[in-house]
Amino acid sequence: MRAKTAMRSHDPAGPEQRVWITPHAPGWSHVLLLRGGQASSAEELSRHGQRVFEISYVSGEIDEPIYTHDGAYRGIFDETEYDVHWADLSYDDTMPEAELLEQFLTIIGRITGRFLDRDWISSQGLLCIKP
């Protein structure tokens, strides 16, 4: 399922959690949490040296991306190795949602070496529904 289809197919008021999972760059996966406040399967997806970025967009609010590596959760703003990727941005959690998302996606692109482009948006992914 493609990202656009996943975004259109979810019911924001429904009871189950929905996540769209897709490859992002070599060694990286991307999890887009569409609904449900619980953490996704990023911990399991990141086992055996894999790395996962998760962006949560629930009830119209974007949360800071979660970075998971080999089963351990980390915050990108807490990891000193990633300071260089966001130091020049004017991150402020009070900015409008669209600007906040753009900054998060810029940081993820800088870290992984792949920015979200048409190919990624149109790529096949897995829509998971967790009760």
Side-chain angles (χ1 to χ4, degrees):
M1 173 174 289
R2 290 180 168 73
K4 287 181 183 179
T5 306
M7 294 292 286
R8 283 192 307 258
S9 70
H10 84 283
D11 172 14
E16 69 274 338
Q17 181 186 54
R18 290 186 180 228
V19 296
W20 186 68
I21 304 167
T22 185
H24 181 77
W28 291 90
S29 295
H30 195 96
V31 176
L32 179 59
L33 180 59
L34 299 171
R35 183 185 56 234
Q38 303 290 324
S40 72
S41 300
E43 184 177 346
E44 290 82 13
L45 290 170
S46 71
R47 299 274 182 211
H48 309 292
Q50 294 297 304
R51 299 169 293 183
V52 175
F53 270 114
E54 177 179 7
I55 293 182
S56 175
Y57 181 70
V58 178
S59 301
E61 292 186 25
I62 298 171
D63 291 331
E64 179 182 316
I66 296 171
Y67 164 59
T68 310
H69 181 240
D70 207 16
Y73 285 98
R74 300 178 172 134
I76 58 172
F77 297 112
D78 299 329
E79 297 291 318
T80 56
E81 68 184 289
Y82 297 133
D83 287 354
V84 68
H85 299 292
W86 58 267
D88 65 327
L89 299 175
S90 59
Y91 169 73
D92 177 358
D93 60 2
T94 63
M95 21 175 55
E97 294 291 320
E99 289 179 43
L100 194 59
L101 178 60
E102 183 177 338
Q103 290 213 2
F104 288 158
L105 295 177
T106 298
I107 294 166
I108 290 171
R110 289 175 176 180
I111 291 171
T112 64
R114 181 178 185 197
F115 291 86
L116 301 186
D117 54 17
R118 286 190 191 272
D119 289 339
W120 183 82
I121 295 291
S122 64
S123 68
Q124 291 289 332
L126 178 65
L127 179 63
C128 299
I129 301 169
K130 296 168 68 175

